Amino acid sequence: MSRITIPEIAAAPEGSQAALGAINAKLGRVPNFFRVLSNSPAAITAHAALNQGLGKGLDLKTRERIALAVAAVNGCEYCDAAHTFTGHNFAKLSRDEIDLARQGTSADPHAAAAVHFARKVAEARGKVSAEDIAALRSAGFGDGQIVKIVAVVAENFFTNLINNVAATTVDFPAI
């Protein structure tokens, strides 16, 4: 049971209604994470802006792999379930790729470099080595993409923290 209220959509604060409506339009429902987040209009608005901004520049498969790796590092059951579902259904990641992403790798060498670096960023709280960055660059990632990878890690830390604190009730089907 969630430790923070999961409000019904109509009972969420007025300042959260637009974001909840957009999520409902996109997904056809409003998952519990967004309902928990709606308790703070500032938090749900900031998350929506960050998520929209980070949707540019890194492909969906890479973002989903990073989300799975970060959820594994942070032990976030909710985010693991959510990104297993979205990774499989929207990014079209195979079950094997989902499992590899949790471990910080991929069968695709380019994706493996990105998710490996993302997992290192999460584990080391950003204190990566010059060699870690050099390895990412040698895989073809430029400075802008490196910053985006770190930003996607940070976005997922945010969602992991909210869900771990709230003990958000998982509402995604098992894959």
Side-chain angles (χ1 to χ4, degrees):
M1 180 166 173
S2 182
R3 296 184 291 214
I4 295 178
T5 303
I6 301 175
E8 293 300 323
I9 296 167
E14 177 66 31
S16 297
Q17 291 297 322
L20 292 173
I23 292 159
N24 192 38
K26 183 177 179 180
L27 301 177
R29 69 185 190 93
V30 179
N32 285 343
F33 163 70
F34 296 105
R35 291 171 48 204
V36 167
L37 203 57
S38 76
N39 284 295
S40 168
I44 197 167
T45 301
H47 178 268
L50 182 60
N51 186 266
Q52 183 178 9
L54 293 177
K56 302 169 187 152
L58 284 177
D59 64 278
L60 180 60
K61 286 183 182 213
T62 300
R63 292 190 320 271
E64 289 297 325
R65 284 178 173 113
I66 291 169
L68 287 159
V70 174
V73 168
N74 291 322
C76 183
E77 292 177 31
Y78 188 92
C79 292
D80 182 66
H83 290 287
T84 296
F85 179 85
T86 57
H88 183 72
N89 290 296
F90 297 120
K92 304 301 183 197
L93 295 174
S94 69
R95 287 182 174 93
D96 288 342
E97 275 298 308
I98 288 169
D99 289 339
L100 289 170
R102 288 184 185 113
Q103 298 167 40
T105 193
S106 171
D108 173 270
H110 189 71
V115 75
H116 177 75
F117 179 75
R119 185 167 170 114
K120 277 204 157 190
V121 169
E123 289 172 339
R125 306 303 190 256
K127 302 237 181 212
V128 297
S129 69
E131 292 80 16
D132 294 327
I133 293 173
L136 196 57
R137 283 193 177 120
S138 71
F141 291 89
D143 288 345
Q145 291 170 309
I146 293 169
V147 170
K148 286 177 193 165
I149 290 169
V150 174
V152 171
V153 170
E155 175 193 20
N156 283 281
F157 251 83
F158 172 74
T159 62
N160 292 176
L161 290 173
I162 294 289
N163 286 307
N164 283 343
V165 167
T168 308
T169 304
V170 176
D171 57 346
F172 284 91
I175 298 295

